[in-house]
Amino acid sequence: MALFEEEMDSNPMVSSLLNKLANYTNLSQGVVEHEEAEDSRRRQAKSPGMGTFIGVYLPCLQNILGVILFLRLTWIVGAAGVLESFLIVSMCCTCTMLTAISMSAIATNGVVPAGGSYYMISRSLGPEFGGAVGLCFYLGTTFAGAMYILGTIEIFLTYISPGAAIVHPEGAGGEAAALLHNMRVYGTCTLALMATVVFVGVKYVNKLALVFLACVVLSILAIYAGVIKTAFDPPDIPVCLLGNRTLSRRGFDVCAKVHTANNGSATTALWGIFCNGSADSTSCDQYFLHNNVTEIQGIPGVASGVLLDNLWSAYADKGAFVEKKGVPSVAVPEEARARGLPYVLTDIMTYFTMLVGIYFPSVTGIMAGSNRSGDLRDAQKSIPTGTILAIVTTSFICILGGPVPGAAPHPPPHAASDLSCIVLFGACIEGVILRDKYVSTLSFLGMSLCFALMFICSWYYALCAMLIAGCIYKYIEYRGAEKEWGDGIRGLSLNAARYALLHVEHGPLHTKNWR
């Protein structure tokens, strides 16, 4: 109800909500007006009057709920386990929450006109910090665009239309290379299409903003509906196991060593793969001979106890077998992993800090509301309320809406680690918020957590991001600002100088201290 509090006294809540949803836009008002500059009358009619729900809550919600939630959260839970996944999500959400609280301290400390986060930070911490954060935020958004394009193409080629692939895998183990080449081709085409749309006019795509938001919300609801459905009626998605090792149905259909044919038994295609096409068991792979072939359900449902089975992590090295816990298996000494066998292998080494770096970009996007500060009717009230409620909502979705653990791993989008450090550095600077000339405790905690997450994700990218921000800071400091804004950093300098002058001893100074 806090989202609609400012409308309670003047407008009927339901009709006002329906009217604003019909005119919902995912872009700031300035972008639309820029493209409609020829229509001055219409531009003047668009006065900044967005409320908390339309102006801050929905844009933040739409920007936070992204491709990583749908593509990578399953893999993170499968690799890190339920408990460590809760820890990863909690750390990242806490980081953004502390940043939002610091941002709220700035927003409620004075008038917030157009300019968004850059205006708030530059007026509070000076143009040097504002410029460093603004440009780092721009770089982070650029990397995020590449990440979302790659995620869209992966969804299209993996789940929607696998037959649309241009480059096909050559032999076993070539799927990852083929997908990478397809991403390059389709990614270039998608980027060209997006550039054309921006050139022609984003206002036409912006009219579909509500449709895009509805698709995201429906997808989230579908996750919850799927979890409920699996409790009563799990889907029939069989997975073939050899011992406790997962097999990819590549080159065979029947998950068995032998099958009945013509009133007798005959070897299957799977036997031919592991035994070089011969019915003689002496030429077979030893692990294949000593272990049974079984078939289990890939999604057993929440009532099957899969949640308890995957409480703990299952990190693995690159090229390790994807194994099912609790299934008996006979080990074979000095086994050579024959190339071409249809085993499902991990395509990347997994560990806790790497998963943090991959997941963190999914909780960014909290600046979507503050960047609309010039379009808000009451920015001081809407930015804190809408941003914090959006973070709470998305955190609830990520924690309770996480997919079934134990999923097979997928290759990450590689831009995620780069993006996380750049975005995190911006968050670090945002965490240093000065209000009434003192650094707040929450801001200091947020800054410390941001720095810790930066180096947890990737220490070398963290150093690169710090170097970039430092260079921008020194450049702006060297060129100087056009006017004085009365920011907190200069206020601290003045306060320190005044303190020192007031405490100078009245007696004669020592000759070494005359300067």
Side-chain angles (χ1 to χ4, degrees):
M1 298 302 292
L3 296 174
F4 303 97
E5 185 177 353
E6 71 273 9
E7 301 176 354
M8 290 294 188
D9 298 331
S10 58
N11 300 322
M13 187 174 65
V14 176
S15 60
S16 175
L17 172 63
L18 294 177
N19 179 61
K20 291 188 176 182
L21 283 177
N23 298 317
Y24 171 68
T25 168
N26 193 34
L27 298 177
S28 60
Q29 186 173 338
V31 175
V32 181
E33 290 179 349
H34 176 72
E35 293 191 348
E36 298 175 346
E38 68 280 0
D39 189 356
S40 59
R41 181 185 59 81
R42 184 178 179 183
R43 182 171 66 252
Q44 293 174 358
K46 289 186 175 181
S47 59
M50 289 186 177
T52 303
F53 183 73
I54 298 295
V56 180
Y57 181 76
L58 286 185
C60 287
L61 204 68
Q62 189 169 358
N63 280 267
I64 295 175
L65 297 175
V67 67
I68 295 181
L69 172 65
F70 298 100
L71 278 181
R72 296 294 173 255
L73 192 55
T74 52
W75 174 65
I76 290 175
V77 175
V82 176
L83 297 180
E84 291 191 21
S85 297
F86 273 118
L87 179 61
I88 292 174
V89 174
S90 300
M91 286 175 57
C92 296
C93 292
T94 301
C95 178
T96 55
M97 177 61 77
L98 291 176
T99 303
I101 292 175
S102 300
M103 181 176 64
S104 302
I106 295 181
T108 57
N109 202 34
V111 179
V112 185
S117 57
Y118 165 75
Y119 180 92
M120 291 190 294
I121 295 174
S122 61
R123 267 56 174 182
S124 296
L125 299 179
E128 298 86 0
F129 277 107
V133 170
L135 289 178
C136 284
F137 183 73
Y138 163 76
L139 292 176
T141 305
T142 303
F143 277 101
M147 180 182 67
Y148 282 113
I149 290 176
L150 294 177
T152 302
I153 297 169
E154 181 178 337
I155 293 174
F156 175 72
L157 294 178
T158 305
Y159 303 105
I160 299 178
S161 181
I166 299 175
V167 180
H168 300 280
E170 298 179 358
E175 292 86 355
L179 179 61
L180 182 59
H181 290 308
N182 285 311
M183 283 185 170
R184 288 168 176 163
V185 175
Y186 279 100
T188 303
C189 298
T190 305
L191 185 60
L193 177 63
M194 294 174 63
T196 304
V197 169
V198 173
F199 178 77
V200 172
V202 293
K203 62 181 180 180
Y204 298 105
V205 177
N206 187 51
K207 295 181 183 300
L208 299 175
L210 184 60
V211 178
F212 297 150
L213 177 63
C215 292
V216 173
V217 174
L218 289 176
S219 300
I220 298 296
L221 295 177
I223 294 178
Y224 287 100
V227 172
I228 296 174
K229 182 181 181 297
T230 59
F232 306 97
D233 183 22
D236 185 21
I237 304 178
V239 175
C240 190
L241 298 179
L242 174 59
N244 64 347
R245 299 175 183 175
T246 308
L247 297 180
S248 173
R249 292 185 181 270
R250 186 176 63 243
F252 70 95
D253 295 325
V254 180
C255 183
K257 294 183 179 180
V258 294
H259 66 99
T260 304
N262 298 328
N263 297 326
S265 61
T267 58
T268 62
L270 184 61
W271 181 285
I273 293 175
F274 281 89
C275 298
N276 298 322
S278 173
D280 186 6
S281 61
T282 58
S283 62
C284 291
D285 180 83
Q286 292 300 306
Y287 188 85
F288 179 76
L289 287 178
H290 291 85
N291 287 275
N292 297 324
V293 176
T294 56
E295 198 171 55
I296 63 172
Q297 288 299 325
I299 303 180
V302 294
S304 65
V306 66
L307 190 67
L308 296 178
D309 294 339
N310 290 272
L311 286 178
W312 308 106
S313 62
Y315 298 124
D317 295 328
K318 181 179 180 179
F321 295 109
V322 176
E323 299 176 339
K324 171 66 177 175
K325 297 178 182 179
V327 177
S329 176
V330 178
V332 176
E334 299 181 1
E335 178 188 7
R337 298 182 182 180
R339 187 176 181 85
L341 295 179
Y343 288 121
V344 178
L345 305 177
T346 57
D347 50 12
I348 190 173
M349 182 180 180
T350 54
Y351 47 94
F352 180 80
T353 55
M354 186 267 287
L355 297 183
V356 173
I358 290 177
Y359 178 75
F360 182 81
S362 69
V363 299
T364 58
I366 63 173
M367 313 302 284
S370 61
N371 290 337
R372 295 161 165 256
S373 57
D375 304 329
L376 299 176
R377 181 166 56 251
D378 187 356
Q380 288 183 305
K381 179 180 180 181
S382 297
I383 290 176
T385 305
T387 304
I388 292 177
L389 286 178
I391 294 176
V392 172
T393 303
T394 53
S395 300
F396 176 82
I397 292 173
C398 291
I399 292 177
L400 297 185
V404 178
H410 297 281
H414 297 287
S417 297
D418 310 0
L419 166 70
S420 60
C421 288
I422 294 177
V423 174
L424 270 172
F425 191 83
C428 287
I429 303 179
E430 292 164 23
V432 191
I433 302 300
L434 302 177
R435 187 176 185 183
D436 299 330
K437 307 296 187 294
Y438 295 99
V439 181
S440 68
T441 304
L442 288 179
S443 297
F444 180 77
L445 291 177
M447 179 192 67
S448 303
L449 182 57
C450 285
F451 271 112
L453 285 174
M454 280 179 62
F455 287 93
I456 286 176
C457 295
S458 176
W459 65 269
Y460 42 89
Y461 281 123
L463 293 178
C464 291
M466 294 175 65
L467 179 62
I468 293 173
C471 291
I472 297 173
Y473 181 94
K474 297 304 293 184
Y475 175 78
I476 298 176
E477 185 182 49
Y478 169 75
R479 294 299 300 267
E482 295 183 358
K483 57 187 300 185
E484 176 63 39
W485 291 330
D487 57 85
I489 297 297
R490 287 169 176 76
L492 280 180
S493 300
L494 180 61
N495 189 58
R498 177 178 178 275
Y499 178 85
L501 289 174
L502 291 177
H503 287 76
V504 172
E505 295 181 356
H506 297 287
L509 296 176
H510 195 275
T511 54
K512 292 192 299 182
N513 299 330
W514 69 274
R515 286 186 178 272

